[in-house]
Amino acid sequence: MKRVAQKTIVRAQPLIAVRNVRASSDWYRQLLALDTLPDHPHRETYDRMLCGGEIILQLHAWDKEDHPNLINPDAAPPGHGVLLWFEVSDFDQVVERARALPAEIILEPHFNPNPRHREMWLRDPDGYVVVIASPDGETSS
């Protein structure tokens, strides 16, 4: 009997360190209309942001549990060189929700001609850069 090789599945589940897990969880939940795990005793230290049952972002409190690289929040700018990029199917609604949040808007909604989609760039409460993008090829102008 010949064995069929199974295709490897890879899912990104980025984890960012934040100063206030509950506040960041609320911010991302409101921005992206996400789900979170049911309330749990670890919520002040760690939370998972879910979309359709899939983890898309993890939040962890700074300086808790001695995890490497999750200590000393003032050692470097938050997420220097990293963009938290979310493709969304409801771009206009996410833009409306973003405007209602306490967030610095870095780039207003605009058309990116290379992937032919719309983008909006903003900062989350900890200073991470968050990009909201419509699906590639969604528009021609």
Side-chain angles (χ1 to χ4, degrees):
M1 179 181 276
K2 187 177 180 178
R3 290 187 77 164
V4 177
Q6 292 197 356
K7 184 175 176 142
T8 300
I9 296 172
V10 177
R11 286 187 208 91
Q13 296 180 345
L15 183 147
I16 59 173
V18 298
R19 293 181 189 274
N20 183 322
V21 171
R22 194 172 293 272
S24 290
S25 177
D26 289 345
W27 192 89
Y28 280 99
R29 186 177 39 75
Q30 290 174 38
L31 175 68
L32 299 170
L34 299 176
D35 300 319
T36 58
L37 295 173
D39 205 20
H40 56 87
H42 202 54
R43 172 79 31 92
E44 301 302 320
T45 302
Y46 175 79
D47 205 1
R48 292 177 170 185
M49 308 306 302
L50 308 171
C51 183
E54 297 286 328
I55 299 169
I56 65 159
L57 182 64
Q58 301 175 81
L59 307 170
H60 198 287
W62 281 110
D63 293 323
K64 302 288 183 187
E65 303 177 332
D66 297 319
H67 291 307
N69 212 44
L70 297 179
I71 57 172
N72 193 4
D74 299 319
H80 181 71
V82 175
L83 303 174
L84 296 172
W85 195 285
F86 298 98
E87 180 182 294
V88 298
S89 60
D90 58 344
F91 182 81
D92 294 322
Q93 290 83 6
V94 175
V95 167
E96 285 180 33
R97 292 192 300 265
R99 292 189 189 290
L101 289 169
E104 173 193 352
I105 296 174
I106 301 168
L107 286 172
E108 289 286 345
H110 62 281
F111 174 70
N112 183 331
N114 294 322
R116 295 184 5 253
H117 70 204
R118 295 174 292 158
E119 299 173 5
M120 179 184 197
W121 293 41
L122 58 151
R123 288 195 191 278
D124 81 357
D126 286 275
Y128 290 98
V129 176
V130 175
V131 181
I132 305 304
S134 64
D136 285 2
E138 178 247 4
T139 186
S140 60
S141 60

